[in-house]
Amino acid sequence: MIHTILSGMRPSGDLHIGNYLGALKNWVALQNSGQYRSYFMIADLHAMSEKFDPRKLPERVKSLAIDYLACGLDPDKSTIFIQSHIWEQPYLNWIFATLIPIAELERMHQFKEKASEYQHINAGLFTYPILQAADILIYKADTVPVGEDQVQHVELTRVIAKKFNNAFGMTFPEPQALLTPTPRVMSLTEPASKMSKSKGEKNYIALSDEPETIRKKIRSAVTDTQIKGEMSPGVKNLFTLLEAFTSNRKIYTDLLTSCTAGTLKYQDLKETLAEEIIKTLAPIQEKRANLEAHPEQLAEILAAGTEAARKVASATFQEVRAKTGLQ
Ligand code: TRP
């Protein structure tokens, strides 16, 4: 049986190398394995559950689509589309909302975390995982490659699928999260916490950073919060990054050996790492520049993705309408 994958990201600004290693690189590998029918979407409706600038949204959606393609998602192998273009998804969201008890949503970690940050919590933030379930189930995806933080949402998707199937007859698969082993990429300035855009420019490397910027950021990465006899979290993070970015494993093991021996100069580690990151990002940046220069090409790819996605989504939706007695 051919499995179906669906995943997505919110268009909330520049991607960084943590997003690349944690998600996109895996998506591309899964797509290229030939074992899946794959859907990758830009979750613009989900982006609206938090403060956003409507003037910036179109650019951000475009930019994320370019990132998907530049990193290797291929419209000949995957369906790449914008969530809000498929109106059946928010429609299915409503039907699912009538099935799921509030208590299930109140348990969601991501909601609890976000709710504690905001004074006014909008209902969309609360019902966010229902829409996510609609995203997944409308394509009958059974495999959802996501990070640890989204596992609970996939579990909720399973609960929703089960409830729907019980109430209206077998319709949806019960999808599984696919956690591919990925390095946890930490902040360059506060290596005890995850790399994140919210911690300021210097803590992350954007996929679009120029070589000189990358060198500068890596050079100023924190290495010195040394714990006796152990690699400090900052140094450990640089090694994690080096392992992920170098295609020559010997470069990594040699530096690691000298670190263990106590002879490593952090400057050498940093210089090597910066060059390896630059080397990996160069073709991605070139592809990005190319796509930016040909907006009609991007529009065409997204239009074709929308059309392909809509076909599947509307078929599922007709099935749901019939089963739930909607006229
Ligand atoms: N909630 C996901 C995130 O924040 C993005 C997302 C939206 C998603 N819909 C999805 C991921 C469906 C997987 C499947 O990362």
Side-chain angles (χ1 to χ4, degrees):
M1 184 185 108
I2 180 126
H3 291 280
T4 301
I5 275 184
L6 180 132
S7 199
M9 282 185 204
R10 279 168 296 162
S12 48
D14 271 359
L15 290 194
H16 56 65
I17 55 174
N19 306 123
Y20 173 68
L21 296 176
L24 267 170
K25 196 178 168 201
N26 288 326
W27 295 1
V28 171
L30 291 166
Q31 161 199 271
N32 290 341
S33 75
Q35 291 180 36
Y36 301 97
R37 188 181 295 121
S38 27
Y39 294 88
F40 297 104
M41 75 174 195
I42 291 155
D44 56 347
L45 292 174
H46 276 121
M48 297 176 91
S49 63
E50 286 181 75
K51 212 167 149 45
F52 72 102
D53 182 345
R55 285 162 310 181
K56 284 195 187 142
L57 192 58
E59 265 319 303
R60 291 200 159 168
V61 167
K62 232 182 276 169
S63 175
L64 185 57
I66 290 178
D67 282 325
Y68 280 9
L69 297 166
C71 288
L73 290 186
D74 177 349
D76 289 334
K77 298 180 184 160
S78 299
T79 303
I80 301 162
F81 65 100
I82 299 170
Q83 181 185 34
S84 66
H85 288 186
I86 312 294
W87 60 264
E88 288 89 345
Q89 285 172 221
Y91 204 139
L92 187 59
N93 166 79
W94 170 255
I95 293 171
F96 287 169
T98 65
L99 292 171
I100 194 83
I102 284 177
E104 294 274 358
L105 295 171
E106 282 169 341
R107 293 175 37 238
M108 296 292 115
H109 304 308
Q110 186 172 305
F111 172 69
K112 284 198 266 193
E113 210 171 283
K114 298 224 155 127
S116 69
E117 283 170 31
Y118 297 121
Q119 219 161 13
H120 302 286
I121 306 159
N122 71 70
L125 203 58
F126 185 60
T127 60
Y128 181 116
I130 309 180
L131 180 59
Q132 188 162 347
D135 298 337
I136 297 167
L137 295 176
I138 205 153
Y139 302 101
K140 302 197 176 179
D142 52 19
T143 310
V144 190
V146 281
E148 199 81 60
D149 64 321
Q150 295 295 313
V151 169
Q152 211 187 14
H153 289 168
V154 180
E155 278 164 11
L156 188 85
T157 302
R158 273 211 300 278
V159 173
I160 289 176
K162 220 177 294 179
K163 283 191 188 292
F164 188 97
N165 293 342
N166 284 341
F168 305 109
M170 185 58 205
T171 310
F172 296 113
E174 290 174 29
Q176 300 280 348
L178 179 64
L179 283 169
T180 352
T182 51
R184 224 169 114 77
V185 177
M186 310 307 275
S187 155
L188 298 175
T189 51
E190 306 163 41
S193 53
K194 251 171 64 169
M195 185 175 279
S196 148
K197 280 187 311 253
S198 60
K199 294 192 196 84
E201 288 265 318
K202 281 191 177 158
N203 103 94
Y204 70 94
I205 290 176
L207 292 186
S208 56
D209 276 348
E210 306 268 345
E212 215 25 66
T213 311
I214 296 175
R215 290 190 191 103
K216 225 185 273 163
K217 286 181 178 175
I218 294 288
R219 227 177 277 140
S220 61
V222 169
T223 46
D224 59 2
T225 42
Q226 191 71 38
I227 309 161
K228 259 216 149 57
E230 256 180 66
M231 214 189 263
S232 74
V235 175
K236 203 167 151 208
N237 190 39
L238 296 182
F239 272 109
T240 301
L241 288 173
L242 183 62
E243 189 177 20
F245 277 101
T246 184
S247 50
N248 179 352
R249 199 159 167 88
K250 191 165 177 326
I251 293 181
Y252 167 76
T253 48
D254 283 355
L255 284 165
L256 193 60
T257 307
S258 59
C259 183
T260 319
T263 56
L264 174 72
K265 282 204 221 100
Y266 290 151
Q267 196 192 343
D268 291 343
L269 170 62
K270 287 179 168 180
E271 275 171 17
T272 309
L273 172 60
E275 295 316 309
E276 293 295 326
I277 295 176
I278 291 166
K279 227 191 296 172
T280 307
L281 296 189
I284 295 175
Q285 295 179 347
E286 198 184 314
K287 235 170 144 184
R288 161 171 272 279
N290 229 315
L291 286 156
E292 275 170 349
H294 298 98
E296 71 293 343
Q297 214 174 327
L298 180 70
E300 227 169 81
I301 290 171
L302 291 174
T306 300
E307 197 183 327
R310 186 171 289 141
K311 240 184 234 153
V312 179
S314 68
T316 305
F317 195 66
Q318 289 313 322
E319 188 185 348
V320 166
R321 289 180 64 91
K323 286 184 173 164
T324 53
L326 289 167
Q327 297 293 298

